[in-house]
Amino acid sequence: MTINLAMNTDLARIGIPDSKLAREITELVRDTESPLLFHHSSRVYYWGALAGKRRGLRFDPELLYAGAMFHDMGLTHQHSTMEERFEVDSANTARDFLRSHGVHQQDIETV
């Protein structure tokens, strides 16, 4: 399978959001996940942003970054429970983090 990255998308315009929230997300995830999982989550953000831009979708890069970076957090010992699947633990971790940083409920639900 060949993937054409030259698809009318300027890769230089895809970057991690330059915000306090994004920096704190990066710090938490880097300190919690293995390097392998951290880089996987980062790639999820880049691929999601590229796919969204290619399709002409409008999205909040900061919320996309939060969702991508937290999506596997439930696989870590610190954020897993015996009661929930890892996907639910990941979503709960994202919710709690975003809530503690004053993110509006509607945006938390988007993530």
Side-chain angles (χ1 to χ4, degrees):
M1 178 168 103
T2 302
I3 299 174
N4 181 4
L5 291 180
M7 59 175 127
N8 297 335
T9 300
D10 183 357
L11 293 177
R13 293 183 189 208
I14 303 292
I16 295 171
D18 185 22
S19 68
K20 182 177 189 279
L21 182 65
R23 286 187 294 277
E24 291 180 9
I25 290 169
T26 300
E27 183 178 331
L28 174 68
V29 176
R30 188 180 300 274
D31 291 347
T32 304
E33 294 183 351
S34 69
L36 178 70
L37 200 53
F38 173 81
H39 292 298
H40 160 72
S41 297
S42 298
R43 286 188 302 274
V44 167
Y45 167 74
Y46 285 110
W47 281 108
L50 281 169
K53 286 189 179 284
R54 180 173 188 221
R55 292 182 176 105
L57 301 176
R58 292 178 34 208
F59 59 90
D60 182 321
E62 192 174 58
L63 297 180
L64 177 61
Y65 186 70
M69 296 308 289
F70 279 103
H71 86 276
D72 279 338
M73 193 67 107
L75 293 172
T76 67
H77 178 72
Q78 300 95 313
H79 298 284
S80 65
T81 66
M82 296 297 289
E83 297 79 32
E84 300 290 349
R85 297 181 333 267
F86 83 90
E87 302 96 322
V88 176
D89 287 335
S90 299
N92 290 341
T93 301
R95 179 201 60 214
D96 295 346
F97 178 89
L98 296 171
R99 193 175 282 160
S100 74
H101 285 75
V103 174
H104 294 290
Q105 185 61 34
Q106 182 177 350
D107 290 339
I108 292 171
E109 291 172 15
T110 297
V111 171

